[in-house]
């Protein structure tokens, strides 16, 4: 009976050999534990979205938990980013008038470069897109400004997944 229990216990212990808890980072990011996020550059005509992009990426990285965020003087890597696109397209027209829009799709594209702070080597370059929709009422610009954080958040989550998980 003891022999059977010992063999069963040994078999159970070896069944989990090689597994570990925690995330599996991409190969180029395996030595990176901490990151610093710089304010994004804005290559669009939409004003004052640089800080929104950086804050969205900071929030997404904090929620993911793979990397800690520190100031750029002590972090292992520095993330530089830019907002390359903010666009909208018609999602739904008013019934009976296809030229009048009722609902828009909003798209945001973000690009980042992850640079090793010590060596200056570019570890990763990633691009991600976020999208959301919003209904048009009286003030199109105000409606778009309210929808922008949702699209930005989705793009930031996609970037975070890319640098934390490799996909």
């Amino acid at each position: 009976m003891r022999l059977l229990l010992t063999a069963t216990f040994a078999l159970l212990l070896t069944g989990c050999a090689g597994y570990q808890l925690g995330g599996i980072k991409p190969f180029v990011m395996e030595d990176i534990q901490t990151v610093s996020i710089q304010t994004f550059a804005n290559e669009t005509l939409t004003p004052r979205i640089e800080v929104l992009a950086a804050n969205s990426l900071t929030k997404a990285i904090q929620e993911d938990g793979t990397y800690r965020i520190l100031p750029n003087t002590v972090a292992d890597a520095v993330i530089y980013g830019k907002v390359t696109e903010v666009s909208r397209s018609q999602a739904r027209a008013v019934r009976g008038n296809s030229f009048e829009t009722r609902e828009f799709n909003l798209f945001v594209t973000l690009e980042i470069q992850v640079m090793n702070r010590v060596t200056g080597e570019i570890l990763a370059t990633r691009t991600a897109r976020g999208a959301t929709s919003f209904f048009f009422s009286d003030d199109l610009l105000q409606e778009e400004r309210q929808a922008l954080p949702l699209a930005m958040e989705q793009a930031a989550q996609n970037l975070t997944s890319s640098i934390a998980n490799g996909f």
Side-chain angles (χ1 to χ4, degrees):
M1 187 64 165
R2 278 189 182 172
L3 183 60
L4 183 60
L5 286 174
T6 305
T8 304
F9 186 68
L11 191 62
L12 288 174
L13 287 178
T14 60
C16 296
Y19 289 99
Q20 65 182 28
L21 295 175
I24 304 298
K25 296 184 222 176
F27 178 72
V28 296
M29 300 287 288
E30 68 183 354
D31 295 332
I32 304 300
Q33 303 298 321
T34 60
V35 295
S36 170
I37 301 170
Q38 302 301 303
T39 301
F40 277 46
N42 183 6
E43 296 183 349
T44 70
L45 298 176
T46 306
R48 298 183 304 275
I49 60 170
E50 305 87 358
V51 175
L52 177 62
N55 288 346
S56 296
L57 185 60
T58 300
K59 179 181 173 188
I61 289 175
Q62 287 174 336
E63 287 175 353
D64 180 71
T66 302
Y67 305 105
R68 288 183 320 148
I69 297 177
L70 294 177
N72 64 343
T73 56
V74 294
D76 298 331
V78 180
I79 298 176
Y80 298 97
K82 57 186 171 182
V83 182
T84 58
E85 177 195 15
V86 175
S87 62
R88 66 177 179 260
S89 64
Q90 183 182 36
R92 188 182 315 172
V94 173
R95 181 176 288 167
N97 183 357
S98 62
F99 294 112
E100 190 176 343
T101 303
R102 169 170 283 185
E103 183 179 6
F104 284 98
N105 288 326
L106 179 67
F107 302 100
V108 174
T109 304
L110 303 177
E111 282 184 22
I112 60 166
Q113 276 191 335
V114 182
M115 184 181 77
N116 186 313
R117 183 187 60 84
V118 177
T119 65
E121 174 189 7
I122 301 296
L123 301 174
T125 301
R126 302 283 192 265
T127 302
R129 194 168 196 198
T132 190
S133 62
F134 64 95
F135 288 97
F136 173 61
S137 59
D138 294 333
D139 188 357
L140 179 63
L141 293 178
Q142 182 64 24
E143 300 291 336
E144 183 177 306
R145 281 306 265 189
Q146 290 178 354
L148 193 58
L150 296 173
M152 197 71 74
E153 184 176 309
Q154 185 183 48
Q157 288 172 349
N158 292 340
L159 284 174
T160 301
S161 176
S162 171
I163 62 172
N165 304 317
F167 54 87

